[in-house]
Amino acid sequence: MNPVDNLAIFSTYLQHQYGDGMLFIFWLIFTFLFLAGIFLTLTILSRVAKLADERFEKQLAALYEPFLLKLLYESDDFIENPAIPIEISSRLRTRFQKQTLTDLIVRLNKGLDGELSLKLRTLYRVLKLEAYSISKLQAKVWHIQASGIDELREMRIVETVEAIQKLLNHPNWLVRSNAQLAVLELGNPDNRLRLFESITFPLTDWEQLRLHESLKSRNEDKISSFSSLFTSPNKSIVLFGIRMSSFFGCTRDIPELQDLSSNPDENLREEAIYGLMRLGDFQMQEILAEQFAIESKPVQTAIMHYLLQTGYDRLSFYTEALHDPTHAISLLAAKGLARFDEAHFPTAYESLGTNNPVIATLLAHAADRRLQRL
Amino acid sequence: MKQALETFTYYFDIVLLVYTISICSSYLMLALVSARALISYKRENAHTDYREILASPLTPGVSLIAPAYNESLTIVENVKSLLSLQYPQLEIVVVNDGSKDDTLQKLIDNYELELIPYAYDARIAHKPIRGIYKSKHNIFDKLLVVDKTNGGKADALNSGLNVASGKYAACNDVDCVLSQDALLKMVKPFMESENRAIAVGGVIRIANSCVIEDGFLKAVQVPDNMLARFQVMEYSRAFLMGRMGWSKADGLLLISGAFGLFDKEIAVACGGYDHSTVGEDMELIVRMRRYMIERGEQYTVSFIPDPLCWTEAPSTNKVLGRQRNRWMRGTIETLLMHKRMFFNPKYRILGMLSYPYWFFFEWLAPLVEVFGIVYFLLLALLDLPNWPYFFALMGSVYAFAMMMSMAAILFDEMSYYQYTRWKDIRKLIVAAILEPFFHHPKVVWWGIRGNLDFVQGKKSWGEMTRTGFNTQKKS
């Protein structure tokens, strides 16, 4: 008699002896234990699969690596006459095999340029791995789409930029973010910033960081201005533009940034002031010092940073700001006072700090060279 | 009389049954949501290059606050480990909370500290600061040591929050070992969130029997000590199968005090850590969330499943009992402080799901369990139990516990593959089989003690003796 029959007989016995309730509990216990067994089996299978994958990856790497090294450093005519050994092309039947080689090629290509990179890209095409990555763009699952975009970007397949552009406003943030990077890197180098006209979702700080790193790594010298982003209806793109403008030293953007420093939006004003500070523009000193009194605390803090950085030297301004109830502002004001030469500063210190321990500490802090960071 | 008793037991059995089904269903639901969240997180972060954070001017500043009390033996190594964390704009604020030993002197001698005139923003009340120290050497430029009068952990953290200059504040027990990229991983949810992220928590792992070398984790192993091993199971279930799910459902009420990252502005604006509770970590999160909801601001609290913080778990019943007792008192205190959230739709998931869950299944669970045992003993005295049903129900509860523990081992395996030796899996399976018999009853008892101590108004933390990590020094 098989176990299923035994189980059926036992459950009939339980029902007969103790009623339906007992039968229910029996099946509950059975289900829980069965699931526990399944989980345990899955744990073991997962471990075995992991170990097998690691072994298989090593085997494939042992096969691919010598071939790739030979291709990169010995095959001079590979680009014109790409010949692939049968042992390589025949091992690209499963998805795992394709993905392993794709990962290897993409990883190698990251640090390469010129002819070496061209050879790898030719190989990527000839082995139809490019088509494999392109097919991922049509996948229904977001993480496959995201990885396809990443591969095409890393392999610099510029022909795919239009297909990727369609994913710029994908509901999944990772697909969106990868698409932004890809379009930025693969798009027309003379008009890279056009990408931002299509983005409707707000750019998170993480996305901005990735875009900035991408621009930085490409030694982007063709963008001398980010002012085209300042008029975007998407506020996060304006903020990004202001940041990039100052990080890349786009002094051409200073007039627009000066205008933005009086924008009705608090965040834009604040960012524009920091942007002007980073660009070393000192023309706004008096205007911003005037504006200071009517500003919100974050913008006041930005103004204080700006004035300190650009060497604003009105003693009365700092003396007044020293009594601001916001600690960050009063400390910055104290730092402003500390910048005055020794002839002025002791006077300020004596008149301001003697009767007020809080002010005295602020001034001592500001004057201490070990704490000079802004 | 007998009929009345039978009627009572009939209805009471139904109540207990509904309670049991509810608690088991909620565990199952949480596990399912957690599994989904875990898979999604792994996929999203599979290709993340955290090194990008290191070089970017867009990276926000982080202050890591580590309170220390009588840590003379390990403080130098621990601070060295913190100083080596990978993060570009990092400030380490070590708060010496009036240690009676030479913790401060050790720091002064080893890091060549000197007193500085540091002006800080005293927005949160705490015991007086006696002095703030900084090293004479630029290599320790990140380090700031605050020496203050003893006031307890919450008080020390509050002084750290006042002194900290970073946009985000990471609160960390100084005796925990953090992975090198812990802050890089913790800061990412703040940067990628469309709403304002106010707090991020990570998985706390147990370091007993792991190899720690010069303050760094070198090898991960399942603890040899059975009590610590049971705690590995508990932590896996709580973090990977619980908090991950709550985070996904936007109902996370607790970020462990051992390691969490907070939006400093919000933490300070809502008053910092509360001195009056021993569950200050949970209470702060609940208060921060309430603060945001009551102001009508969009926000998130996230949880990441990466194993970022390793701590030594109590390896004796006495010390573990004190810890669990304190956790229970902290839970009760926090729930009572925020009782207006209970089934209050204004607080959305928090009010309608998280709070009731903590109330019924974290606070009341040990009480219900003990009450059930007493009730059963009374029935046994009256010869009323239906014995076959009793054993069948016991069996079903045990089978459920086994299933959840096996799922926890699977989650652990599929998420971060920490225990690479087959031997470790074997040890975990043994722990899972034995835990319901040898560990769970003690946990229930400590929960009851926590309730009793709460009623008696006990406020102490209880001494947490540690045996020390399995350390190796570079020769």
Side-chain angles (χ1 to χ4, degrees):
Chain A
M1 208 176 282
N2 66 37
V4 179
D5 290 337
N6 283 335
L7 209 59
I9 292 169
F10 185 62
S11 57
T12 315
Y13 163 76
L14 280 178
Q15 192 178 19
H16 181 71
Q17 191 76 11
Y18 302 105
D20 289 342
M22 185 59 96
L23 186 67
F24 175 74
I25 296 169
F26 169 73
W27 280 110
L28 206 58
I29 295 172
F30 181 81
T31 309
F32 290 154
L33 290 178
F34 179 72
L35 284 173
I38 294 275
F39 294 148
L40 185 57
T41 313
L42 283 176
T43 304
I44 293 164
L45 287 179
S46 159
R47 172 65 57 99
V48 170
K50 241 173 236 158
L51 294 173
D53 279 359
E54 278 172 16
R55 206 174 50 240
F56 199 44
E57 259 175 49
K58 271 185 198 160
Q59 279 173 2
L60 287 176
L63 177 76
Y64 296 145
E65 276 169 9
F67 162 70
L68 288 170
L69 284 174
K70 198 175 164 197
L71 167 94
L72 286 175
Y73 300 107
E74 289 173 28
S75 311
D76 294 333
D77 62 340
F78 182 78
I79 297 166
E80 297 83 35
N81 184 22
I84 311 289
I86 188 78
E87 64 266 29
I88 299 291
S89 53
S90 64
R91 295 236 183 172
L92 288 173
R93 267 178 251 127
T94 66
R95 214 175 128 178
F96 180 81
Q97 289 167 329
K98 283 181 191 168
Q99 194 57 53
T100 307
L101 186 57
T102 305
D103 289 345
L104 197 61
I105 294 175
V106 166
R107 235 184 359 252
L108 270 177
N109 194 51
K110 259 186 191 173
L112 297 177
D113 220 332
E115 195 189 344
L116 296 181
S117 171
L118 196 57
K119 280 181 182 176
L120 282 176
R121 278 184 276 161
T122 309
L123 176 71
Y124 180 64
R125 263 191 187 139
V126 172
L127 288 175
K128 295 188 177 141
L129 295 175
E130 182 189 311
Y132 166 68
S133 297
I134 291 172
S135 72
K136 286 181 170 183
L137 300 183
Q138 310 302 325
K140 285 182 182 146
V141 193
W142 61 266
H143 64 95
I144 294 182
Q145 283 181 302
S147 86
I149 298 169
D150 233 16
E151 285 158 15
L152 293 164
R153 175 179 66 84
E154 292 283 5
M155 294 311 293
R156 292 162 231 160
I157 311 297
V158 289
E159 296 84 351
T160 56
V161 73
E162 275 184 33
I164 296 174
Q165 198 143 14
K166 288 176 190 155
L167 301 169
L168 278 173
N169 293 305
H170 192 276
N172 180 274
W173 76 266
L174 188 63
V175 176
R176 268 197 325 261
S177 178
N178 284 0
Q180 287 160 13
L181 273 190
V183 175
L184 186 73
E185 292 179 17
L186 306 177
N188 179 1
D190 296 325
N191 200 359
R192 288 209 192 282
L193 301 184
R194 260 193 88 177
L195 141 81
F196 294 98
E197 290 169 17
S198 315
I199 297 175
T200 53
F201 278 88
L203 285 180
T204 63
D205 284 350
W206 180 252
E207 286 166 337
Q208 294 190 27
L209 180 145
R210 291 185 81 198
L211 290 165
H212 175 227
E213 286 303 304
S214 167
L215 286 169
K216 235 172 39 176
S217 67
R218 264 149 189 79
N219 292 324
E220 197 54 75
D221 51 4
K222 287 191 177 169
I223 304 175
S224 55
S225 169
F226 284 84
S227 61
S228 62
L229 305 187
F230 297 167
T231 50
S232 169
N234 184 336
K235 183 174 146 184
S236 67
I237 289 176
V238 184
L239 288 169
F240 176 72
I242 297 171
R243 287 169 183 164
M244 293 307 110
S245 182
S246 59
F247 292 155
F248 285 95
C250 303
T251 46
R252 254 171 67 171
D253 295 343
I254 286 177
E256 282 93 339
L257 288 175
Q258 288 175 343
D259 289 345
L260 281 168
S261 69
S262 55
N263 191 284
D265 187 285
E266 180 189 300
N267 299 130
L268 294 183
R269 281 202 309 278
E270 183 188 1
E271 204 57 54
I273 294 165
Y274 280 122
L276 288 167
M277 178 190 85
R278 284 190 285 261
L279 288 170
D281 167 65
F282 55 85
Q283 295 163 31
M284 294 293 286
Q285 283 183 341
E286 284 303 333
I287 296 170
L288 290 176
E290 286 294 313
Q291 202 174 309
F292 181 83
I294 53 161
E295 276 296 358
S296 63
K297 290 298 172 193
V299 181
Q300 281 187 334
T301 312
I303 292 175
M304 286 302 296
H305 274 112
Y306 168 86
L307 294 174
L308 269 175
Q309 194 77 31
T310 55
Y312 185 60
D313 61 358
R314 211 171 82 199
L315 187 69
S316 59
F317 175 82
Y318 291 120
T319 312
E320 203 176 315
L322 185 66
H323 296 278
D324 194 283
T326 305
H327 173 79
I329 292 171
S330 54
L331 184 59
L332 286 167
K335 287 181 179 177
L337 285 169
R339 287 188 167 194
F340 285 91
D341 59 38
E342 284 178 10
H344 289 90
F345 191 61
T347 322
Y349 184 87
E350 279 163 26
S351 62
L352 295 163
T354 43
N355 296 325
N356 187 335
V358 176
I359 298 288
T361 315
L362 282 169
L363 291 168
H365 180 143
D368 196 306
R369 287 191 177 170
R370 294 162 297 186
L371 300 165
Q372 283 304 308
R373 278 184 305 169
L374 276 178
Chain B
M1 177 68 186
K2 196 180 175 194
Q3 198 184 1
L5 194 64
E6 274 174 4
T7 312
F8 171 77
T9 56
Y10 175 77
Y11 286 108
F12 194 70
D13 287 350
I14 289 174
V15 170
L16 284 182
L17 189 67
V18 168
Y19 182 84
T20 311
I21 290 170
S22 310
I23 201 167
C24 292
S25 317
S26 63
Y27 288 160
L28 275 177
M29 284 302 295
L30 271 176
L32 289 172
V33 178
S34 295
R36 234 182 108 91
L38 195 63
I39 291 167
S40 181
Y41 179 85
K42 288 265 293 174
R43 283 175 177 163
E44 278 179 4
N45 291 280
H47 301 292
T48 302
D49 187 357
Y50 289 97
R51 286 170 306 177
E52 287 181 340
I53 301 178
L54 285 172
S56 177
L58 291 166
T59 305
V62 169
S63 299
L64 192 146
I65 305 166
Y69 178 70
N70 292 347
E71 304 272 358
S72 168
L73 283 177
T74 53
I75 191 72
V76 176
E77 281 297 305
N78 291 337
V79 170
K80 190 175 151 194
S81 165
L82 294 178
L83 285 168
S84 64
L85 288 174
Q86 293 171 353
Y87 197 80
Q89 296 195 51
L90 177 62
E91 174 186 65
I92 310 280
V93 183
V94 177
V95 184
N96 176 45
D97 189 29
S99 295
K100 288 174 190 156
D101 62 7
D102 59 346
T103 300
L104 180 65
Q105 198 53 48
K106 283 261 175 75
L107 287 168
I108 291 173
D109 294 344
N110 282 278
Y111 295 102
E112 297 194 44
L113 304 177
E114 56 186 353
L115 208 56
I116 50 161
Y118 196 92
Y120 60 91
D121 191 5
R123 286 174 68 190
I124 317 173
H126 54 76
K127 291 276 169 67
I129 289 180
R130 296 190 287 227
I132 299 178
Y133 297 79
K134 205 165 165 48
S135 177
K136 292 172 195 165
H137 295 290
N138 287 343
I139 48 166
F140 303 127
D141 198 33
K142 288 188 260 185
L143 179 64
L144 207 59
V145 174
V146 177
D147 178 37
K148 64 178 278 289
T149 311
N150 180 262
K153 189 181 171 188
D155 195 69
L157 287 167
N158 282 343
S159 66
L161 280 172
N162 278 343
V163 170
S165 62
K167 185 176 179 189
Y168 298 114
C171 297
N172 166 238
D173 287 349
V174 77
D175 53 0
C176 288
V177 175
L178 296 182
S179 69
Q180 289 285 287
D181 55 358
L183 290 171
L184 298 175
K185 287 184 173 169
M186 290 283 271
V187 90
K188 188 172 168 254
F190 284 98
M191 298 186 75
E192 70 188 11
S193 173
E194 283 173 27
N195 295 325
R196 185 172 187 167
I198 59 166
V200 174
V203 173
I204 311 294
R205 311 274 326 196
I206 287 175
N208 303 44
S209 298
C210 294
V211 180
I212 314 280
E213 193 180 282
D214 287 339
F216 300 108
L217 185 78
K218 292 289 171 186
V220 178
Q221 289 164 15
V222 168
D224 294 325
N225 177 292
M226 191 50 105
L227 194 61
R229 220 183 287 175
F230 289 144
Q231 290 170 77
V232 169
M233 294 304 306
E234 287 181 313
Y235 278 44
S236 289
R237 286 197 303 263
F239 287 100
L240 294 175
M241 294 169 68
R243 290 189 203 172
M244 198 68 207
W246 280 121
S247 164
K248 180 79 183 166
D250 194 26
L252 192 63
L253 279 188
L254 170 62
I255 284 177
S256 170
F259 188 46
L261 188 59
F262 304 90
D263 182 322
K264 198 187 87 181
E265 194 187 316
I266 304 296
V268 170
C270 57
Y273 286 93
D274 191 316
H275 303 66
S276 66
T277 169
V278 288
E280 78 294 327
D281 45 4
M282 180 179 177
E283 201 282 327
L284 178 66
I285 294 295
V286 178
R287 194 148 30 87
M288 284 172 77
R289 297 194 73 141
R290 272 188 73 176
Y291 176 84
M292 296 302 281
I293 292 171
E294 284 163 10
R295 288 164 62 99
E297 289 187 32
Q298 294 294 316
Y299 75 97
T300 56
V301 172
S302 304
F303 182 82
I304 57 171
D306 302 76
L308 303 176
C309 177
W310 296 78
T311 187
E312 187 194 342
S315 49
T316 64
N317 283 318
K318 197 173 166 187
V319 180
L320 182 61
R322 280 187 207 135
Q323 185 194 55
R324 296 304 162 92
N325 179 319
R326 176 167 54 81
W327 285 2
M328 178 52 80
R329 281 184 284 131
T331 302
I332 301 169
E333 284 164 359
T334 305
L335 292 176
L336 291 181
M337 277 177 185
H338 299 279
K339 54 184 176 288
R340 63 175 295 194
M341 290 170 72
F342 192 47
F343 283 121
N344 187 338
K346 180 182 166 187
Y347 297 100
R348 300 178 292 231
I349 294 278
L350 292 187
M352 301 306 288
L353 274 181
S354 307
Y355 190 107
Y357 174 90
W358 276 83
F359 179 82
F360 289 113
F361 304 144
E362 295 287 345
W363 179 4
L364 295 190
L367 297 172
V368 171
E369 207 165 327
V370 167
F371 192 72
I373 292 167
V374 173
Y375 169 70
F376 169 75
L377 290 175
L378 283 175
L379 290 187
L381 282 175
L382 299 169
D383 199 24
L384 284 175
N386 182 330
W387 290 102
Y389 269 89
F390 166 72
F391 287 113
L393 284 171
M394 286 291 280
S396 68
V397 171
Y398 178 74
F400 182 78
M402 278 291 294
M403 181 187 73
M404 294 305 282
S405 292
M406 291 303 163
I409 297 173
L410 177 64
F411 269 59
D412 215 55
E413 176 71 17
M414 295 189 77
S415 58
Y416 286 95
Y417 188 34
Q418 289 296 300
Y419 300 114
T420 50
R421 305 178 308 173
W422 283 105
K423 197 168 114 182
D424 288 330
I425 294 200
R426 253 194 342 261
K427 282 180 173 179
L428 288 179
I429 293 168
V430 171
I433 294 166
L434 298 179
E435 191 196 347
F437 300 110
F438 297 102
H439 185 61
H440 182 74
K442 287 187 285 187
V443 174
V444 173
W445 170 239
W446 292 324
I448 295 294
R449 286 296 304 268
N451 272 279
L452 292 174
D453 285 349
F454 169 76
V455 172
Q456 288 167 9
K458 190 178 170 185
K459 287 280 176 190
S460 76
W461 264 58
E463 201 179 329
M464 293 295 294
T465 322
R466 295 182 193 272
T467 54
F469 289 126
N470 180 10
T471 55
Q472 283 180 4
K473 284 234 168 206
K474 276 184 192 157
S475 56

